Amino acid sequence: MTSQSIDIDGIKRRLPHRYPFLLVDRVVDYTPGESLTAVKNVTANEPWVTGHFPEKAIMPGVLLVEAMAQSCGLLAFVTREAEPDAEMPPEAPLFYLVGVDEARFKRPVEPGDIVELKATLERVVRGIWLFKVRAEVDGALAASAGIRCTMREM
């Protein structure tokens, strides 16, 4: 099976987020309807670095959850694109975050880290997409959560 990837331009076509809130740099692999792996390169130039925390920069957990949610949104989007009868509207639909379940933080994420975001689609129930997602750094779990989102046409 060949690996499918999405560069930053492809991500921007699918997500409405822009700097400083576009928190996914590249999709390295995905299987529509199943899973997606993306990366976020954490740099010393991030806007939060000077204030969280000045002595020892640590990526805020809320931004890590947002990066995980964006990877789930991308998985939902490529899953919709892969549906044989899917007609994509001229404007991309939006996937709204509607819930975060069982968020856990296991290690800090710091500038210089490459966060690997691994999203898995669990199921879709009455328009709510349910995901499990992990954020890993060097193979070690940094955070995990259940993410719920819903799609809205523009």
Side-chain angles (χ1 to χ4, degrees), residues 83-119:
E83 292 173 0
D85 58 345
E87 286 188 37
M88 295 307 286
E91 300 237 358
L94 290 176
F95 287 92
Y96 287 105
L97 178 66
V98 296
V100 178
D101 301 316
E102 300 178 11
R104 298 289 183 265
F105 303 92
K106 300 296 185 181
R107 76 177 288 288
V109 174
E110 304 169 344
D113 285 344
I114 298 171
V115 181
E116 193 171 48
L117 304 158
K118 297 180 177 183

Side-chain angles (χ1 to χ4, degrees), residues 3 24 26 49 95 115 118 127:
S3 176
V24 175
R26 178 169 204 76
V49 167
F95 287 92
V115 181
K118 297 180 177 183

Side-chain angles (χ1 to χ4, degrees), residues 2-45:
T2 61
S3 176
Q4 299 187 78
S5 64
I6 304 171
D7 65 12
I8 192 66
D9 293 326
I11 291 169
K12 287 168 128 180
R13 279 195 306 276
R14 292 169 175 91
L15 293 181
H17 308 77
R18 296 297 179 264
Y19 178 85
F21 280 98
L22 182 56
L23 299 174
V24 175
D25 295 320
R26 178 169 204 76
V27 173
V28 295
D29 191 26
Y30 66 91
T31 302
E34 293 180 22
S35 63
L36 178 139
T37 301
V39 293
K40 161 67 178 149
N41 298 302
V42 182
T43 72
N45 297 321

